[in-house]
Amino acid sequence: MTDAFEKIRTVQLGTDGPRTGVQGFGAMGISEFYGDTDQAAARDTLDAALEAGVTLIDTADIYGRGANEEFLAPFVAAHRDEITLASKFAIQRDSAEERVIRNDPAYIRDAVEASLRRLGADHIDLYYMHRRDPHVPLSESVGAMAELVQQGKVRYLGLSEVTGSELREAHAVHPITALQSEWSVFSRDVERSAVGAAAELGVAFVPYSPLGRGFLTGAFADAEQDLAKDDFRRFQPRFTGDNAKANAALLEPLRAIADAHGATPAQIALAWVQQRADVHGLTVVPIPGTRKRSRLLENAAATRIALTGEELAALEPIAGRVAGDRYPDMSSTSAAREG
């Protein structure tokens, strides 16, 4: 099941948002975080995405300090009417790599102009607040984002890593089309409140890291031993030391189900995420990232795998047994603000 000869099916984001492929593409790893990138191979991967019907292309101003948006610019120019372009604001990095979360209206207005310049575009289809600053009222932040819609610079609004109550509060100010947060067979804290709120409001869910940053694929077993020194997964608690060893043992059901389907563990992990749509009654469009055409087509083919009730039951307990947090500092995640 590694080939994708037919385009994937499409779904609508939100109650009145754009139609996209049921699986999107996360471009983050092209510019940094996961080691060196072959730029030509990455460009070919983007072409493969369109061939497969993967039309939601996701970036952010923080990725490569804007380099990711610049890399995408020629692709955006060549295929503007064929893709749904998503970007994000909110995380500001200084020269010491310290990060500050900015949600104030002045920053939002500056951030969108900078992203539009780098992307070479006159509008962004889906514009996300990347992280939430609880010191800035949501009404101010979403109000400023709504102004961008009125000005034609942005078409639809999204939020990332917010709780269910925050999503409801924001949606009351201006319709939210999509919620993006980490969601995978390893990471299910969003099910505490965010997923239910999204289903209730008709907001699409866009899971990032649906492959556990590659861990679910078997690409590495211990980040400190297997990955380059500049790979940021070396600093994520669940991927190193005793945590990594314990978590690797949890992958056996994934492998067994993959063997039964003649598929890869990555495809089964993606199929699990895709089937959350049926389980929770909402639109789900995961955005796995890759820099290889072959992996892109493999990922897209996962949209045609249906897991049985017995297989879903075998995967159900995994997340509760995972050792280690998603990040060394969880303060900017929705989990940190859950009541």
Side-chain angles (χ1 to χ4, degrees):
M1 304 246 352
T2 57
D3 294 320
F5 298 108
E6 299 178 7
K7 288 193 174 185
I8 62 176
R9 63 186 177 89
T10 64
V11 292
Q12 184 173 6
L13 298 184
T15 56
D16 61 354
R19 291 197 71 84
T20 73
V22 73
Q23 184 182 112
F25 178 78
M28 181 184 80
I30 291 174
S31 299
E32 63 174 331
F33 302 113
Y34 296 142
D36 294 337
T37 293
D38 180 325
Q39 299 289 302
R43 285 191 290 272
D44 183 55
T45 301
L46 288 172
D47 291 336
L50 274 189
E51 293 166 17
V54 175
T55 56
L56 176 61
I57 309 299
D58 183 274
T59 183
D61 58 6
I62 188 179
Y63 302 158
R65 296 177 177 273
N68 198 251
E69 292 177 324
E70 292 172 347
F71 173 84
L72 289 174
F75 179 78
V76 171
H79 303 285
R80 191 64 190 92
D81 295 335
E82 302 170 73
I83 65 171
T84 297
L85 177 63
S87 195
K88 315 179 198 71
F89 73 89
I91 307 178
Q92 193 174 40
R93 295 161 72 178
D94 63 21
S95 57
E97 287 300 311
E98 294 295 325
R99 300 188 179 193
V100 177
I101 308 301
R102 295 282 303 274
N103 288 175
D104 55 284
Y107 181 77
I108 294 171
R109 289 190 286 267
D110 289 344
V112 74
E113 295 294 347
S115 285
L116 288 170
R117 285 195 300 272
R118 287 189 292 263
L119 289 162
D122 61 4
H123 71 277
I124 295 169
D125 297 310
L126 178 57
Y127 199 45
Y128 290 98
M129 178 190 295
H130 205 165
R131 291 292 186 272
R132 166 92 171 98
D133 177 3
H135 299 101
V136 178
L138 261 178
S139 59
E140 292 185 13
S141 303
V142 179
M145 295 169 72
E147 291 177 4
L148 303 181
V149 176
Q150 295 165 4
Q151 295 163 5
K153 297 174 182 177
V154 169
R155 290 192 172 168
Y156 304 97
L157 302 185
L159 300 174
S160 179
E161 288 283 356
V162 298
T163 66
S165 61
E166 289 169 338
L167 178 59
R168 289 188 181 90
E169 182 182 351
H171 195 74
V173 177
H174 186 280
I176 302 300
T177 296
L179 169 59
Q180 181 177 142
S181 291
E182 185 166 354
W183 199 9
S184 74
V185 72
F186 255 36
S187 300
R188 298 178 61 179
D189 50 89
V190 292
E191 294 175 24
R192 293 174 60 185
S193 72
V195 170
E200 172 191 322
L201 298 170
V203 175
F205 208 105
V206 178
Y208 72 78
S209 297
L211 296 176
R213 304 193 186 279
F215 193 81
L216 296 175
T217 72
F220 68 98
D222 186 308
E224 288 182 321
Q225 296 180 18
D226 301 336
L227 302 178
K229 292 188 181 299
D230 61 347
D231 194 304
F232 94 123
R233 290 170 291 185
R234 291 167 59 95
F235 305 100
Q236 293 185 295
R238 60 181 49 173
F239 300 143
T240 60
D242 291 339
N243 285 347
K245 185 180 298 185
N247 292 335
L250 300 176
L251 300 180
E252 186 51 41
L254 205 65
R255 297 191 189 97
I257 295 169
D259 288 344
H261 282 266
T264 65
Q267 290 176 315
I268 300 305
L270 286 170
W272 181 91
V273 174
Q274 301 278 184
Q275 284 185 242
R276 298 301 92 192
D278 298 327
V279 171
H280 295 281
L282 78 170
T283 298
V284 177
V285 181
I287 48 169
T290 181
R291 294 169 287 186
K292 296 180 179 179
R293 168 181 281 266
S294 61
R295 294 300 185 204
L296 185 289
L297 298 179
E298 176 185 315
N299 291 344
T303 64
R304 296 194 287 274
I305 297 176
L307 302 179
T308 67
E310 183 178 357
E311 290 167 339
L312 292 173
L315 299 174
E316 181 66 24
I318 290 178
R321 298 171 181 169
V322 172
D325 286 331
R326 295 193 277 130
Y327 296 100
D329 178 3
M330 290 283 288
S331 62
S332 293
T333 68
S334 58
R337 298 189 304 279
E338 288 283 6

